[in-house]
């Protein structure tokens, strides 16, 4: 069984390789930041971001049954601000 730190390093190294091959980006492990991590039973999941202006973030999922890692790449599409005065806690039917 791997530790959370080992999982983080494995995911960051896989991401570095993927970004180099797919986007011709040259990052180091110090350029990638773990922002969320979870372990449930034999499965792991984390979200990683880089500080580039590319608006991407990455999700890394370990399937403990199959012993496989899945890497998902997301692009930030919107950043919408909702002010406190616009909060609505009423149920809309």
């Amino acid at each position: 069984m791997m530790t959370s730190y080992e999982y983080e390093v494995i995911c960051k190294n896989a991401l570095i390789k993927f970004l180099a091959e797919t986007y011709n980006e040259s990052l180091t492990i110090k350029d990638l930041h773990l922002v969320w991590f979870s372990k449930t039973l034999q499965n792991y999941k984390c979200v990683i971001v880089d500080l580039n202006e590319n608006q991407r973030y990455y999700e890394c999922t370990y399937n403990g049954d199959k012993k496989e890692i899945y890497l998902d790449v997301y692009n930030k599409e919107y950043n919408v601000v909702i002010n406190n005065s616009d909060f609505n806690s009423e149920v809309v039917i």
Side-chain angles (χ1 to χ4, degrees), residues 62-79:
Y62 176 70
N63 181 331
D65 292 332
K66 294 185 178 182
K67 308 227 181 311
E68 297 175 330
I69 290 180
Y70 313 115
L71 180 62
D72 297 315
V73 179
Y74 298 97
N75 287 309
K76 181 175 174 182
E77 195 166 326
Y78 294 102
N79 182 5

Side-chain angles (χ1 to χ4, degrees), residues 5 8 19 21 29 31 34 39 58 60 63-64 67 69-71 78 83 87:
Y5 178 74
E8 178 183 354
L19 294 172
E21 293 172 352
I29 206 161
D31 297 318
L34 180 76
K39 180 182 183 306
Y58 315 96
C60 191
N63 181 331
K67 308 227 181 311
I69 290 180
Y70 313 115
L71 180 62
Y78 294 102
N83 292 312
F87 291 176

Side-chain angles (χ1 to χ4, degrees), residues 8-85:
E8 178 183 354
V9 171
I10 289 167
C11 288
K12 286 180 178 181
N13 285 332
L15 188 53
I16 288 166
K17 182 178 179 187
F18 171 80
L19 294 172
E21 293 172 352
T22 307
Y23 296 105
N24 199 29
E25 292 181 8
S26 180
L27 298 176
T28 69
I29 206 161
K30 292 181 180 181
D31 297 318
L32 301 172
H33 302 278
L34 180 76
V35 295
W36 179 82
F37 168 82
S38 176
K39 180 182 183 306
T40 304
L41 301 174
Q42 74 278 12
N43 304 307
Y44 297 78
K45 185 178 286 272
C46 69
V47 174
I48 297 172
V49 297
D50 65 56
L51 298 179
N52 290 336
E53 306 256 339
N54 59 32
Q55 298 289 309
R56 288 192 305 260
Y57 66 98
Y58 315 96
E59 184 179 278
C60 191
T61 305
Y62 176 70
N63 181 331
D65 292 332
K66 294 185 178 182
K67 308 227 181 311
E68 297 175 330
I69 290 180
Y70 313 115
L71 180 62
D72 297 315
V73 179
Y74 298 97
N75 287 309
K76 181 175 174 182
E77 195 166 326
Y78 294 102
N79 182 5
V80 178
V81 175
I82 301 171
N83 292 312
N84 190 7
S85 61

